[in-house]
Amino acid sequence: MLRRTFIKGVTTASIAGVAGIKLQASIPHKTPSRKTILEGNEFFLEIDYTTVNKTGKPTIATTINGQIPGPTLVWKEGETVTIHVTNYLKKSSSIHWHGIILPYKMDGVPGVSYEGIAPGETFTYRFKVHQHGTFWYHSHSGYQEQTGMYGAIVIKPKHKEPFHYDREHTILLSDWSDEKPDSIYRKLKLLSNYYNFNQKTIGDFFSEVKQKGFSKALSDRKMWNHMRMSDRDLSDVTGYTYTYLMHGNNPATQFKALFKKGEKVRLRFINGAAMSFFDIRIPELTMTVVAADGNHIKPIRVDEFRIGVAETYDVIVEPSSVKAYAIFAQSIDRSGYALGSLTPSNSLLSKAPRMDNPQALTMVDMGMKMSMKSHKKMSMGMKKYRWEEMETQKYPITPLPMAKGPQTTMVATDPKYRLEDPGVGLRNNGRRVLTYADLKNRYSTIDAPKPNREIVLHLTGNMERYMWSINGIKYADAKPLIFHYGERLRITLINDTMMNHPMHLHGLWSDLETGDDNHLVRKHTVIVQPGSKISYRVTVDAKGAWVYHCHLLYHMAGMFRKVVVI
């Protein structure tokens, strides 16, 4: 990222459209607003090609109303919203409303919810808003999300929220590349570590010999080679090609969030990146996390939190000095960062703190049995390992097809619940870091029904050949998952790979098990750490066809399932 700090600004201008657009007669047409925030219950959005400059070099993006990100849509809980989306691209497009509970035909997934929006056509979405909080929207067609098609959704609550703040800002994080997504994917298929410039060297091996002894260093190296992985594979696509954006701004142009001394400021963070996890902190300020994926949680004060792709977190901060504070979001592999300023003045900008050094994956991240010494080292500062009780919860398991072969070179032999593990890069860093174990629903869930059955899904892959699948079966060869309307289902995910996977179930909430049945935390996207297991409960209360997938864009073709609720 530092290589691009010369960037001067961002310009946008529509350069192409599809001539002769014929709107459906029953759909009103209105020139879309270029405002960055749109409020109301009827919206007009246009998908089009736009020239943007995020890196110092003009290039073509796919945008919504000519902006990156698209306009923030502000809805009200309980109202019905109508959104007219016109596609001016030369190919089919779509918009999916991420985390929104709605009829499946409004979900915006081509081939499942509907046929998509053909070039020159307008599709009208209309549904009642049943929730409040911070959400987002994005294209579900091809790689259009990577090239700029995403925006924030803020839903105002019908009732007063259980916390106070004086002002708010929405912060959508993303990753931008001037490279075409097809080119990125092709390079990953040819060489999966193409963008990883943090590979081990012979010098690293000698350092390990000095630390562990020759035999142990050699056996560890053999083990990673056997798994066809590197312990430095933290992110498939890195700052080598990505410029990390904070609400459309690169670190040089800086996103600005204004405040007045003494105010409580609510920051609505959304990770709208295609492939990047971010670790977020505001040096010198404590953040009180009050919502996760749009749902209120018991407030928890932290110095730092990780936000996986597609997750949202709301935090409240109280800046006490008249100065610019850095809103710092470093990528998980430490190859770059997004930067903004929480500032009392548009002319007062912050400086980026020093990035942390990258950490390597460990045997824990391989899902292998740890020695007591290793477990103790990883658990420093953690509470007692209390997930053993969750291991004992048994429900009838519905068997599902499973395949093995060259597509499943990675296997977690001893996957564990690791909700108290902040994850690689954040362990033992001296800061109070949010973990899933901290998340507790603000309201009691003690009366929620117990699951009546369970399905177990393995997240599988071959990193070397860049192959991704669920249960060893890629989407093209998989049958739909069948859910039964009215049932309470437990889904257990086992991550056999050494990558984080943000799993997103459309149309249904995921009630994450955290060892406290009285406060199951409600999410729409759940991060499954490398070599770990995690489980959540789903009340199947919406009929129709949905999808369930890893939200990493270049994993999606394999790690994807259609879900049919009957």
Side-chain angles (χ1 to χ4, degrees), residues 102-173:
L102 39 58
Y104 81 93
K105 291 184 178 178
M106 297 288 106
D107 196 41
V109 180
V112 178
S113 315
Y114 65 166
E115 294 305 313
I117 309 172
E121 290 192 351
T122 296
F123 185 85
T124 296
Y125 299 84
R126 185 176 291 113
F127 48 87
K128 187 171 182 179
V129 180
H130 296 284
Q131 60 209 96
H132 58 81
T134 305
F135 300 91
W136 65 300
Y137 62 93
H138 59 84
S139 172
H140 225 293
S141 299
Y143 297 134
Q144 292 170 8
E145 183 187 329
Q146 174 76 91
T147 54
M149 278 188 58
Y150 45 79
I153 299 170
V154 173
I155 306 177
K156 298 294 184 182
K158 187 184 294 183
H159 304 291
K160 185 178 179 181
E161 292 184 286
F163 45 80
H164 168 76
Y165 57 92
D166 299 296
R167 71 167 73 197
E168 66 179 68
H169 297 282
T170 302
I171 302 174
L172 194 154
L173 301 163

Side-chain angles (χ1 to χ4, degrees), residues 440-460:
K440 292 183 180 296
N441 196 318
R442 184 147 190 147
Y443 312 103
S444 174
T445 57
I446 196 67
D447 293 328
K450 300 291 185 185
N452 44 20
R453 71 178 177 115
E454 178 177 3
I455 60 173
V456 179
L457 298 171
H458 287 255
L459 308 180
T460 46

